[in-house]
Amino acid sequence: MYDLDIGLLRAFVVTAECGSVSGAAQRLARTQAAVSMQLRRLEDDLGARLMNRNARGMDLTEAGHVLLPYAQKMLGLSAGARRALAGQALQGPIRFGMIEDIAVGSLPRALQRFAECHPNVALELTVTESTVLSEKLSQGQLDVAIGDPALIQGEPILTWRLPLRWVAARGFELPEEGPLPLVTFDGVCTWRQKMIEALKDGGRPWRTVLTSASLSSIQSMIEAGLGIAVLLDLNIRPNTMRVLGADEGLPPAPVIELGLFAADDQGLSSRPISALWAFLCDELQAQALATGRAA
C-alpha cells in the first residue's frame, strides 16, 4: 500500500465540486484531456470507478462519495501545513453572514475547507435576510457578509450576477387561461419585484398563492404543485422540480446581483477576511462554471 497522489486528489475534488471536467480544467488551468487522465489514473490506483458522466456533467459514484471527504481533508491539511511553515497561520474569529439562498449547496463545503486549513480561526456564521445583514454590519456584529447590494448599506467590495430560473413541480401544468399562481418570498425582497416586473413586461397575469420567508418552505410548496417561483440553480431540486421557459410562454427570468460587504474600511486587506474570500470566491466560480456561465 502506498500514498495517494495529492495532484490526482485535487483533480478529483475540483471536478466533483465543478460538476464537469470542463469546469475543473478551467479552474485548474489545465486541458480537459489532462484532467480526464488524472481522474483515470486515480481510479486505476484505487481500483474503483469514482465518477459517471451524464447529461448534466459528472456525478459521483458510491466510491466517489466515500473518497470525497477524505480527499478534501487531505488537500486542506496540505495547504494548512504550507501556511503554517511559511508563518502565515491565521488566528482570531470571523463573524460571517449570508442570505439563506447561498447557504446551501456547495458553499458550506468551502467553509468546511477553510476551517480545516485555518483551525485557529473561529467562524461564527449567521444566515438571515439582507436587511438584517445590513443592520448587523452597521452595528459591528458582523465582519463580512454576502447579500443583496440593493438592501445592504455601503459599497460592496465585490459584486457578481447569477441567473434565476422559473421553476415548478414535475408534472405541474401551467394554466392556459387566467393568472399564473406564484409562490414568492415574504418581506423586503428585490427578487420578488424583479419576478413581477418580468411577468408584467411579458404580459402574463399572475396571482400570489403563497408567501414565505423560508427557502425550504418555498421549495416544499413548489414540490407540492401549488405554483411556480424563481430560484437559483443551486436551490433547484432536479428530482422533483423542472425549469420552465419560453416553451411555456414565460418571459426570461431575471438576473440577480450579490455583493460581498465588510464591516470596516479594511475590506480584503484584512488577512483572515481575504483568506475566507479566497475560498468563497473559488466556490462561487465553480458553481458558475458548472452551469457554463460566468458569475
Side-chain angles (χ1 to χ4, degrees):
M1 209 177 253
Y2 50 92
D3 294 336
L4 292 171
D5 187 311
I6 199 75
L8 303 184
L9 291 176
R10 179 171 289 103
F12 166 68
V13 169
V14 174
T15 302
E17 293 175 347
C18 290
S20 69
V21 172
S22 60
Q26 292 183 56
R27 187 166 159 188
L28 293 169
R30 299 176 67 88
T31 65
Q32 294 186 40
V35 174
S36 296
M37 178 65 72
Q38 288 182 303
L39 294 175
R40 284 196 295 270
R41 285 177 55 195
L42 182 60
E43 289 179 330
D44 291 343
D45 183 18
L46 294 171
R49 189 169 185 83
L50 301 174
M51 291 185 168
N52 289 319
R53 186 181 298 276
N54 59 37
R56 295 179 62 88
M58 302 289 284
D59 279 341
L60 292 177
T61 63
E62 183 176 351
H65 281 291
V66 172
L67 176 62
L68 184 59
Y70 289 101
Q72 290 173 327
K73 180 171 289 188
M74 291 170 71
L75 291 176
L77 290 172
S78 175
R82 285 186 177 277
R83 291 187 180 91
L85 291 172
Q88 296 177 349
L90 301 179
Q91 295 183 350
I94 299 180
R95 299 167 299 174
F96 172 50
M98 59 187 139
I99 57 175
E100 183 183 10
D101 302 82
I102 63 167
V104 296
S106 57
L107 193 60
R109 290 200 296 268
L111 297 174
Q112 179 189 20
R113 293 201 309 275
F114 178 83
E116 290 171 349
C117 288
H118 303 287
N120 294 324
V121 175
L123 272 177
E124 301 175 13
L125 303 178
T126 298
V127 179
T128 187
E129 299 176 359
S130 292
T131 52
V132 179
L133 293 176
S134 180
E135 182 178 350
K136 288 182 176 294
L137 281 168
S138 64
Q139 295 178 353
Q141 298 176 8
L142 288 176
D143 299 310
V144 63
I146 294 178
D148 187 341
L151 299 176
I152 297 181
Q153 295 182 356
E155 289 295 323
I157 300 170
L158 295 167
T159 61
W160 63 99
R161 291 159 64 82
L162 292 173
L164 295 171
R165 309 289 182 193
W166 296 109
V167 180
R170 289 192 174 276
F172 180 83
E173 296 293 335
L174 271 69
E176 296 183 2
E177 299 180 357
L180 295 172
L182 298 186
V183 177
T184 68
F185 285 94
D186 197 8
V188 181
C189 179
T190 60
W191 301 10
R192 176 185 179 186
Q193 187 59 37
K194 288 177 180 289
M195 174 179 64
I196 293 173
E197 290 174 357
L199 291 174
K200 288 181 178 178
D201 292 341
R204 291 300 303 261
W206 55 274
R207 64 184 179 91
T208 300
V209 296
L210 180 136
T211 61
S212 175
S214 166
L215 173 61
S216 60
S217 294
I218 295 289
Q219 292 169 316
S220 296
M221 295 305 110
I222 295 172
E223 291 173 321
L226 293 184
I228 69 173
V230 289
L231 294 177
L232 292 170
D233 283 311
L234 57 90
N235 296 328
I236 297 173
R237 298 170 177 171
N239 293 333
T240 56
M241 301 177 186
R242 66 188 180 99
V243 176
L244 310 174
D247 291 344
E248 289 82 12
L250 291 173
V255 175
I256 60 96
E257 188 175 52
L258 294 175
L260 172 74
F261 295 82
D264 53 39
D265 295 333
Q266 284 188 333
L268 294 183
S269 64
S270 165
R271 287 183 61 230
I273 292 177
S274 179
L276 173 62
W277 175 243
F279 278 78
L280 299 180
C281 185
D282 199 32
E283 189 59 49
L284 292 167
Q285 180 188 38
Q287 291 175 5
L289 290 173
T291 51
R293 291 179 301 274

